[in-house]
Amino acid sequence: QVQLVESGGGLVQAGGSLRLSCAASGTIFSISTMAWYRQAPGKERELVATISSSSNINSVDSVKGRFTISRDNAKNTVFLQMNSLNSEDTAVYYCYARVRFGNSDPYRSYWGQGTQVTVSS
């Protein structure tokens, strides 16, 4: 089994910064894509940013220039540095990873439990 544990959420004033972390643990041979999603109250979960094992990055337009995704492959950890936060960034942020247990196994998707980010105006 694989567990994804997020940390770093909280309450911040508009214009402030937060850094989210997500560590994967368990039976892990390799991790391909890692990503951050978010879900605001009354809205569907949306993709925020993705990063491949070779650090190719994609992000949604609404966070470009403000959020930076990165990863530490040796520690199976993904980060999300969030700057210039505004009220529209308020949401539960979820970590996502594609993990396989062995060289011949398929990749499987895993989610973290979510961490709340609240931006006060």
Side-chain angles (χ1 to χ4, degrees):
Q1 278 290 355
V2 172
Q3 297 81 41
L4 300 181
V5 179
E6 300 120 334
S7 61
L11 174 65
V12 63
Q13 289 187 335
S17 298
L18 283 175
R19 179 177 170 89
L20 305 182
S21 300
C22 172
S25 63
T27 305
I28 298 172
F29 177 77
S30 65
I31 301 176
S32 59
T33 300
M34 301 188 83
W36 289 96
Y37 286 74
R38 66 185 180 185
Q39 187 167 18
K43 296 186 177 181
E44 294 186 353
R45 189 173 299 189
E46 66 169 353
L47 177 65
V48 176
T50 65
I51 183 168
S52 72
S53 57
S54 56
S55 293
N56 290 317
I57 291 171
N58 286 288
S59 60
V60 296
D61 288 344
S62 60
V63 307
K64 285 182 178 178
R66 301 189 300 122
F67 291 10
T68 302
I69 189 170
S70 61
R71 65 191 283 175
D72 183 336
N73 290 330
K75 296 182 178 180
N76 294 328
T77 300
V78 63
F79 306 95
L80 186 67
Q81 177 66 44
M82 305 185 294
N83 300 327
S84 302
L85 286 159
N86 58 60
S87 58
E88 293 184 352
D89 297 316
T90 294
V92 178
Y93 284 71
Y94 296 91
C95 173
Y96 168 89
R98 293 277 289 169
V99 180
R100 60 177 176 171
F101 302 143
N103 192 38
S104 60
D105 289 326
Y107 281 97
R108 295 178 174 86
S109 295
Y110 292 90
W111 293 88
Q113 80 284 357
T115 185
Q116 177 69 48
V117 171
T118 303
V119 183
S120 63
S121 56

mmCIF file of all heavy atoms in Angstrom, residues 66-85:
data_model
loop_
_atom_site.group_PDB
_atom_site.id
_atom_site.type_symbol
_atom_site.label_atom_id
_atom_site.label_comp_id
_atom_site.label_asym_id
_atom_site.label_seq_id
_atom_site.Cartn_x
_atom_site.Cartn_y
_atom_site.Cartn_z
ATOM 1 N N ARG A 66 2.593 32.498 -9.920
ATOM 2 C CA ARG A 66 2.374 32.578 -8.475
ATOM 3 C C ARG A 66 2.713 31.274 -7.762
ATOM 4 O O ARG A 66 3.271 31.304 -6.672
ATOM 5 C CB ARG A 66 0.914 32.938 -8.186
ATOM 6 C CG ARG A 66 0.466 34.246 -8.790
ATOM 7 C CD ARG A 66 -0.924 34.641 -8.286
ATOM 8 N NE ARG A 66 -1.943 33.651 -8.610
ATOM 9 C CZ ARG A 66 -2.697 33.043 -7.698
ATOM 10 N NH1 ARG A 66 -2.539 33.310 -6.407
ATOM 11 N NH2 ARG A 66 -3.626 32.185 -8.077
ATOM 12 N N PHE A 67 2.362 30.135 -8.343
ATOM 13 C CA PHE A 67 2.590 28.826 -7.730
ATOM 14 C C PHE A 67 3.721 28.109 -8.458
ATOM 15 O O PHE A 67 3.807 28.179 -9.693
ATOM 16 C CB PHE A 67 1.344 27.959 -7.820
ATOM 17 C CG PHE A 67 0.172 28.399 -6.984
ATOM 18 C CD1 PHE A 67 0.156 29.642 -6.350
ATOM 19 C CD2 PHE A 67 -0.925 27.565 -6.821
ATOM 20 C CE1 PHE A 67 -0.927 30.044 -5.585
ATOM 21 C CE2 PHE A 67 -2.008 27.940 -6.061
ATOM 22 C CZ PHE A 67 -2.013 29.186 -5.442
ATOM 23 N N THR A 68 4.531 27.385 -7.691
ATOM 24 C CA THR A 68 5.608 26.592 -8.274
ATOM 25 C C THR A 68 5.570 25.187 -7.703
ATOM 26 O O THR A 68 5.622 25.009 -6.477
ATOM 27 C CB THR A 68 6.975 27.226 -7.976
ATOM 28 O OG1 THR A 68 7.014 28.560 -8.487
ATOM 29 C CG2 THR A 68 8.090 26.402 -8.613
ATOM 30 N N ILE A 69 5.484 24.206 -8.591
ATOM 31 C CA ILE A 69 5.530 22.804 -8.166
ATOM 32 C C ILE A 69 6.950 22.285 -8.322
ATOM 33 O O ILE A 69 7.651 22.645 -9.285
ATOM 34 C CB ILE A 69 4.521 21.943 -8.962
ATOM 35 C CG1 ILE A 69 4.407 20.539 -8.375
ATOM 36 C CG2 ILE A 69 4.907 21.896 -10.440
ATOM 37 C CD1 ILE A 69 3.260 19.718 -8.970
ATOM 38 N N SER A 70 7.374 21.459 -7.377
ATOM 39 C CA SER A 70 8.706 20.845 -7.447
ATOM 40 C C SER A 70 8.637 19.492 -6.757
ATOM 41 O O SER A 70 7.649 19.174 -6.109
ATOM 42 C CB SER A 70 9.758 21.744 -6.806
ATOM 43 O OG SER A 70 9.460 21.961 -5.433
ATOM 44 N N ARG A 71 9.690 18.712 -6.899
ATOM 45 C CA ARG A 71 9.705 17.392 -6.260
ATOM 46 C C ARG A 71 11.120 16.990 -5.899
ATOM 47 O O ARG A 71 12.098 17.450 -6.507
ATOM 48 C CB ARG A 71 9.048 16.327 -7.157
ATOM 49 C CG ARG A 71 9.767 16.064 -8.444
ATOM 50 C CD ARG A 71 8.904 15.196 -9.378
ATOM 51 N NE ARG A 71 8.905 13.790 -8.986
ATOM 52 C CZ ARG A 71 8.158 12.852 -9.581
ATOM 53 N NH1 ARG A 71 7.316 13.195 -10.562
ATOM 54 N NH2 ARG A 71 8.218 11.581 -9.190
ATOM 55 N N ASP A 72 11.179 16.125 -4.886
ATOM 56 C CA ASP A 72 12.435 15.523 -4.457
ATOM 57 C C ASP A 72 12.270 14.023 -4.680
ATOM 58 O O ASP A 72 11.615 13.348 -3.878
ATOM 59 C CB ASP A 72 12.702 15.853 -2.984
ATOM 60 C CG ASP A 72 14.030 15.302 -2.493
ATOM 61 O OD1 ASP A 72 14.545 14.327 -3.081
ATOM 62 O OD2 ASP A 72 14.541 15.844 -1.497
ATOM 63 N N ASN A 73 12.826 13.522 -5.756
ATOM 64 C CA ASN A 73 12.626 12.106 -6.101
ATOM 65 C C ASN A 73 13.235 11.171 -5.069
ATOM 66 O O ASN A 73 12.708 10.086 -4.820
ATOM 67 C CB ASN A 73 13.214 11.813 -7.479
ATOM 68 C CG ASN A 73 12.408 12.464 -8.593
ATOM 69 O OD1 ASN A 73 11.196 12.658 -8.480
ATOM 70 N ND2 ASN A 73 13.081 12.813 -9.683
ATOM 71 N N ALA A 74 14.313 11.568 -4.460
ATOM 72 C CA ALA A 74 14.965 10.709 -3.458
ATOM 73 C C ALA A 74 14.085 10.529 -2.231
ATOM 74 O O ALA A 74 14.182 9.504 -1.547
ATOM 75 C CB ALA A 74 16.305 11.308 -3.065
ATOM 76 N N LYS A 75 13.235 11.514 -1.955
ATOM 77 C CA LYS A 75 12.365 11.461 -0.778
ATOM 78 C C LYS A 75 10.902 11.223 -1.143
ATOM 79 O O LYS A 75 10.040 11.305 -0.268
ATOM 80 C CB LYS A 75 12.501 12.756 0.021
ATOM 81 C CG LYS A 75 13.892 12.973 0.598
ATOM 82 C CD LYS A 75 13.957 14.256 1.418
ATOM 83 C CE LYS A 75 15.345 14.434 2.016
ATOM 84 N NZ LYS A 75 15.427 15.684 2.830
ATOM 85 N N ASN A 76 10.630 10.963 -2.421
ATOM 86 C CA ASN A 76 9.255 10.720 -2.878
ATOM 87 C C ASN A 76 8.304 11.814 -2.398
ATOM 88 O O ASN A 76 7.204 11.532 -1.906
ATOM 89 C CB ASN A 76 8.758 9.349 -2.409
ATOM 90 C CG ASN A 76 9.501 8.199 -3.046
ATOM 91 O OD1 ASN A 76 9.950 8.297 -4.193
ATOM 92 N ND2 ASN A 76 9.669 7.113 -2.311
ATOM 93 N N THR A 77 8.731 13.033 -2.550
ATOM 94 C CA THR A 77 7.991 14.178 -2.027
ATOM 95 C C THR A 77 7.763 15.204 -3.128
ATOM 96 O O THR A 77 8.647 15.444 -3.960
ATOM 97 C CB THR A 77 8.756 14.821 -0.859
ATOM 98 O OG1 THR A 77 8.920 13.844 0.172
ATOM 99 C CG2 THR A 77 8.002 16.013 -0.291
ATOM 100 N N VAL A 78 6.574 15.795 -3.096
ATOM 101 C CA VAL A 78 6.243 16.867 -4.019
ATOM 102 C C VAL A 78 5.861 18.098 -3.196
ATOM 103 O O VAL A 78 5.311 17.974 -2.093
ATOM 104 C CB VAL A 78 5.108 16.456 -4.981
ATOM 105 C CG1 VAL A 78 3.818 16.167 -4.237
ATOM 106 C CG2 VAL A 78 4.879 17.514 -6.064
ATOM 107 N N PHE A 79 6.196 19.270 -3.737
ATOM 108 C CA PHE A 79 5.953 20.524 -3.046
ATOM 109 C C PHE A 79 5.114 21.451 -3.926
ATOM 110 O O PHE A 79 5.118 21.344 -5.148
ATOM 111 C CB PHE A 79 7.271 21.222 -2.717
ATOM 112 C CG PHE A 79 8.246 20.379 -1.958
ATOM 113 C CD1 PHE A 79 9.243 19.677 -2.626
ATOM 114 C CD2 PHE A 79 8.173 20.277 -0.576
ATOM 115 C CE1 PHE A 79 10.154 18.888 -1.937
ATOM 116 C CE2 PHE A 79 9.076 19.493 0.125
ATOM 117 C CZ PHE A 79 10.061 18.794 -0.555
ATOM 118 N N LEU A 80 4.428 22.375 -3.265
ATOM 119 C CA LEU A 80 3.737 23.439 -3.983
ATOM 120 C C LEU A 80 3.990 24.743 -3.237
ATOM 121 O O LEU A 80 3.465 24.938 -2.145
ATOM 122 C CB LEU A 80 2.241 23.169 -4.099
ATOM 123 C CG LEU A 80 1.465 24.163 -4.971
ATOM 124 C CD1 LEU A 80 1.886 24.026 -6.438
ATOM 125 C CD2 LEU A 80 -0.043 23.961 -4.827
ATOM 126 N N GLN A 81 4.823 25.583 -3.829
ATOM 127 C CA GLN A 81 5.067 26.902 -3.264
ATOM 128 C C GLN A 81 4.025 27.850 -3.816
ATOM 129 O O GLN A 81 3.930 28.015 -5.044
ATOM 130 C CB GLN A 81 6.472 27.384 -3.623
ATOM 131 C CG GLN A 81 6.796 28.779 -3.141
ATOM 132 C CD GLN A 81 6.856 28.884 -1.636
ATOM 133 O OE1 GLN A 81 7.438 28.033 -0.969
ATOM 134 N NE2 GLN A 81 6.250 29.930 -1.082
ATOM 135 N N MET A 82 3.251 28.457 -2.926
ATOM 136 C CA MET A 82 2.146 29.335 -3.331
ATOM 137 C C MET A 82 2.418 30.749 -2.848
ATOM 138 O O MET A 82 2.508 30.983 -1.641
ATOM 139 C CB MET A 82 0.825 28.813 -2.764
ATOM 140 C CG MET A 82 0.536 27.369 -3.137
ATOM 141 S SD MET A 82 -1.086 26.820 -2.579
ATOM 142 C CE MET A 82 -0.857 26.872 -0.795
ATOM 143 N N ASN A 83 2.565 31.667 -3.778
ATOM 144 C CA ASN A 83 2.811 33.072 -3.467
ATOM 145 C C ASN A 83 1.649 33.930 -3.953
ATOM 146 O O ASN A 83 0.843 33.488 -4.771
ATOM 147 C CB ASN A 83 4.108 33.534 -4.112
ATOM 148 C CG ASN A 83 5.323 32.760 -3.650
ATOM 149 O OD1 ASN A 83 5.385 32.336 -2.497
ATOM 150 N ND2 ASN A 83 6.294 32.584 -4.531
ATOM 151 N N SER A 84 1.591 35.143 -3.454
ATOM 152 C CA SER A 84 0.554 36.103 -3.873
ATOM 153 C C SER A 84 -0.841 35.484 -3.819
ATOM 154 O O SER A 84 -1.634 35.595 -4.754
ATOM 155 C CB SER A 84 0.841 36.613 -5.297
ATOM 156 O OG SER A 84 2.112 37.225 -5.360
ATOM 157 N N LEU A 85 -1.121 34.834 -2.715
ATOM 158 C CA LEU A 85 -2.404 34.141 -2.562
ATOM 159 C C LEU A 85 -3.557 35.136 -2.514
ATOM 160 O O LEU A 85 -3.421 36.249 -1.991
ATOM 161 C CB LEU A 85 -2.387 33.281 -1.305
ATOM 162 C CG LEU A 85 -1.543 32.002 -1.416
ATOM 163 C CD1 LEU A 85 -1.166 31.488 -0.030
ATOM 164 C CD2 LEU A 85 -2.300 30.953 -2.203
#
